[in-house]
Amino acid sequence: MMLKRTTPLLDAAENATADRVDHSHVPNLYAPGAAGRTRCRAEPSQWEILALWLLTCLIFVGGIAPLCNYFSLVDNSGDSSAYMAVASAIRHWNFHGLQVKQFWGLPYAMAGLSLLTGASDRTALMVICFASSLASVAIAYRLWGGWVSGFFAILNFDWMQRSYLGGSEPLFVALLFASFLAIRKDRWWLASLLASLATVVRPLGIFALVGIGLALLWKRDYRRLAPAVATGLAIGILYAIPLARYFHDPLATAHTYSNPQWQGGWLFGFPFYAIIKGTLTEPAPLTNLILSFGWIFLVLFAVIVMIRSSEFRQYARAHPVEILFLIPYLWCLYTYNYPHWARGTFARFSIPVLPFVLIALYRWIPKDRRLLWALGTITSVLAAASAIGLANVPALIRRAIG
């Protein structure tokens, strides 16, 4: 059996092909049981990654449904009810009494699906979130290979909860990753369209759009730069028109990201300030603190590796738009200026940059498919328990079986 010698970080950056074997994890091919170990350490295929996503979905939903009303949990999860209210207002084009807060990209998609199919706002939300989550994992496989996409699918509790209970992250990530994939295929106009749509779902998508413009400007490719800029402006203007007409502020949703409770009233401030302040002033369960700071230090360690790694610098030169998105996004992640949320929502906000964290830490990722499936099972159970409240689980189980 011949083994292809690979560089782990560059492997993560390549489009995945057939299953590959990482030579560094196969100490002796001719030892007893070596063939089985080799199969376990071969990179998972795209179908296996999609099956892994399906497993987490079934465990998450199947674990919650017998214990409580799943649809009621959807309604009360995160910003789901707010998105449904906006989607309903868009469908009826009646914004009287509507509170402007979240960006409207997801509600527009929900309203469009509801008008096309007659589905309820809640059903539209769940269809879009499930489909976008699956698409994100599939695109991540195309971009970074099986190990990165596999661990991206299973590591983050917030990712599962937003995927299966509703949230803007799945749609945002799907559009963002699709934009990166379009760039790799040299389809810059499509990339700018997808990045523009991502921006109206979550505003930090603007970094990808700016990255596209800067990359084309650096190349002096004005023939592609002009339609890319025009596309971004067109999407922005179309998004702003209803806000200007009905709320007398074309940037109404953007202006909600300012609050006198924040340091200086701004969304972003000094690095770590709000994380530390929120930890000191707002009590939280020990498990929550461990999980939050685990993500904070994991991403920070990955940033240090990115800075020091020559391989990552090579990756950055090959994919400049991704890095032009990554750098300001990471800065915003650590300077988010609302003490009440800065620590507790860190894992959620880190979702779009998790693949880059995994790329930076690629050499340390345990490349064993058995572990991937076992960890996927465990994390989906824990994510479901976290969604309904760990303290509530025992009583709910007793009620369900009694």
Side-chain angles (χ1 to χ4, degrees):
M1 178 179 178
M2 295 182 64
L3 294 178
K4 178 181 176 183
R5 190 174 177 218
T6 60
T7 304
L9 180 58
L10 298 182
D11 264 358
E14 293 174 356
N15 289 340
T17 54
D19 283 356
R20 290 191 295 270
V21 179
D22 188 330
H23 185 73
S24 63
H25 291 281
V26 188
N28 185 354
L29 285 176
Y30 301 101
R37 290 198 299 273
T38 300
R39 285 193 297 271
C40 291
R41 291 175 170 86
E43 186 177 27
S45 68
Q46 184 171 20
W47 286 111
E48 184 172 358
I49 295 302
L50 297 181
L52 179 66
W53 177 91
L54 180 61
L55 174 71
T56 65
C57 176
L58 292 175
I59 292 175
F60 186 94
V61 177
I64 289 177
L67 301 181
C68 63
N69 187 316
Y70 187 83
F71 297 112
S72 176
L73 188 61
V74 169
D75 293 343
N76 294 289
S77 174
D79 297 324
S80 293
S81 59
Y83 286 126
M84 286 187 276
V86 177
S88 177
I90 291 172
R91 279 193 299 110
H92 299 96
W93 211 247
N94 181 356
F95 304 103
H96 179 71
L98 184 68
Q99 181 181 4
V100 177
K101 186 177 180 183
Q102 292 79 12
F103 268 56
W104 286 11
L106 175 58
Y108 271 118
M110 293 164 56
L113 182 61
S114 294
L115 289 172
L116 286 173
T117 64
S120 67
D121 295 317
R122 182 204 291 136
T123 300
L125 172 66
M126 298 313 300
V127 168
I128 290 170
C129 289
F130 275 69
S132 297
S133 177
L134 180 61
S136 298
V137 172
I139 298 168
Y141 184 91
R142 297 283 302 278
L143 288 167
W144 301 294
W147 294 117
V148 171
S149 60
F151 282 101
F152 169 77
I154 66 172
L155 281 183
N156 194 298
F157 291 179
D158 285 275
W159 171 248
M160 292 186 189
Q161 290 166 3
R162 266 59 189 185
S163 295
Y164 310 138
L165 292 174
S168 61
E169 284 78 11
L171 181 59
F172 173 72
V173 169
L175 291 168
L176 180 70
F177 289 1
S179 178
F180 293 158
L181 184 61
I183 292 168
R184 296 197 187 188
K185 293 179 177 293
D186 209 31
R187 301 176 66 181
W188 290 87
W189 176 82
L190 177 60
S192 65
L193 174 63
L194 292 166
S196 300
L197 294 174
T199 301
V200 300
V201 175
R202 294 196 67 83
L204 293 189
I206 191 69
F207 296 141
L209 194 58
V210 170
I212 291 171
L214 291 176
L216 291 173
L217 191 61
W218 177 261
K219 294 181 176 184
R220 297 183 180 180
D221 192 345
Y222 304 116
R223 181 178 61 86
R224 288 173 170 167
L225 177 61
V229 171
T231 299
L233 289 174
I235 297 293
I237 291 170
L238 289 174
Y239 178 83
I241 288 174
L243 299 175
R245 179 174 179 182
Y246 296 102
F247 299 97
H248 311 292
D249 183 0
L251 300 177
T253 49
H255 287 157
T256 62
Y257 286 81
S258 177
N259 192 306
Q261 298 179 26
W262 302 340
Q263 176 192 341
W266 294 97
L267 181 60
F268 302 107
F270 296 112
F272 300 101
Y273 170 82
I275 292 174
I276 296 171
K277 181 178 179 180
T279 303
L280 295 175
T281 59
E282 309 229 358
L286 180 61
T287 53
N288 184 280
L289 290 173
I290 292 173
L291 185 63
S292 298
F293 278 103
W295 278 104
I296 290 168
F297 289 122
L298 176 68
V299 176
L300 187 61
F301 178 67
V303 171
I304 295 170
V305 173
M306 292 175 194
I307 294 170
R308 296 174 58 88
S309 170
S310 59
E311 287 186 329
F312 195 86
R313 288 194 293 272
Q314 186 175 348
Y315 179 93
R317 287 191 292 270
H319 307 292
V321 175
E322 296 176 23
I323 303 306
L324 288 169
F325 167 80
L326 173 66
I327 292 173
Y329 193 99
L330 285 171
W331 175 263
C332 292
L333 198 57
Y334 284 97
T335 60
Y336 182 53
N337 206 17
Y338 194 9
H340 183 68
W341 298 113
R343 176 194 51 77
T345 58
F346 188 94
R348 171 191 166 197
F349 291 156
S350 68
I351 290 169
V353 298
L354 179 54
F356 301 104
V357 171
L358 293 169
I359 291 171
L361 306 179
Y362 193 82
R363 73 185 71 175
W364 295 291
I365 293 177
K367 299 172 184 66
D368 190 315
R369 289 153 71 184
R370 295 167 299 185
L371 176 63
L372 195 66
W373 283 88
L375 191 59
T377 301
I378 294 170
T379 55
S380 51
V381 169
L382 293 176
S386 175
I388 58 180
L390 289 173
N392 300 326
V393 171
L396 290 172
I397 292 176
R398 287 194 297 269
R399 189 179 69 180
I401 62 179

